[in-house]
Amino acid sequence: PPPCIPPAANDSRAVCAREPLRAIAMQAPIEHRWSPYEDNGGTCLGIAGDDYCVLAADTRLSTGYKIHSRNCSKVTQLTDKCVIASCGMKSDAITLHKNLKMRIITYEHKHRRQPSVTAIAQMLSTMLYYKRFFPYYTFNVLCGVDDEGKGAVYNYDAIGSFERCPYTTSGSGSALVMSVLDCQIKRGNQTQAATPLGKQDVVEMCKDVLSSVGERDIYTGDAGEIFIIDAGGVS
């Protein structure tokens, strides 16, 4: 080991060359963390009408302050009358949509027809709950037209709990979207009679919502996709 340096004339302490090494050895250990999940942001919303359904979502894919893509769709068409949008972790969303389409194809081969949006809603809940101990990090909105021709919107959490609702939203900007939908569709705590919105009015409102949320939420923006589902299919 290196010898101690003799003290200076006016210093009563001996300076040892081994002191820096001893100080480093006594530092607290550094903990390194790794997570299998990543939130890639984005916002989607669904609105059900009397005989149609509208689904809108942005196309930004980001992590923190990094934008990976400005043209990444969150929406997948499952059948002629059913569409799903997923926010959260993009890789889990891709896997979930792929598995959903695989099971729908199996259903079509077995029953010789496409599953209804009600059947797909229950199947999606089962698939999410099956993975509840290591869940898909996705927050899904399922939209379509049911067997009676009415618009249907389903909202999900990450482990399969779901409900059918007249409108819903999911993603990083959902808190901003829901307040607008409550005001324009639910018309809660308003004294004036509500005027029903037409299909084109709903589409224009979705454009305004995505545009305004993109101003406030850094994970939402770039472009928007709007899908209209009715008896004629998806457009």
Side-chain angles (χ1 to χ4, degrees), residues 44-110:
C44 63
L45 66 144
I47 302 172
D50 293 335
D51 57 351
Y52 67 91
C53 191
V54 177
L55 177 65
D58 74 309
T59 60
R60 177 172 292 182
L61 179 68
S62 60
T63 301
Y65 294 106
K66 300 184 293 292
I67 297 177
H68 302 301
S69 175
R70 299 183 186 273
N71 189 26
C72 182
S73 178
K74 297 175 177 63
V75 183
T76 298
Q77 181 176 346
L78 300 177
T79 65
D80 293 341
K81 297 181 180 180
C82 184
V83 177
I84 185 175
S86 299
C87 295
M89 187 173 179
K90 183 59 180 177
S91 60
D92 277 1
I94 293 173
T95 304
L96 177 63
H97 292 186
K98 181 180 69 175
N99 291 338
L100 260 175
K101 294 183 72 173
M102 179 184 65
R103 294 189 64 170
I104 289 173
I105 291 173
T106 303
Y107 182 99
E108 292 174 355
H109 287 318
K110 185 176 181 179

Side-chain angles (χ1 to χ4, degrees), residues 211-227:
S211 177
S212 60
V213 172
E215 296 289 338
R216 291 284 183 178
D217 179 29
I218 64 172
Y219 308 112
T220 303
D222 294 320
E225 294 179 314
I226 299 177
F227 295 82

Side-chain angles (χ1 to χ4, degrees), residues 186-187 190-196:
K186 186 179 180 180
R187 302 278 183 173
Q190 297 187 18
T191 57
Q192 297 180 353
T195 303

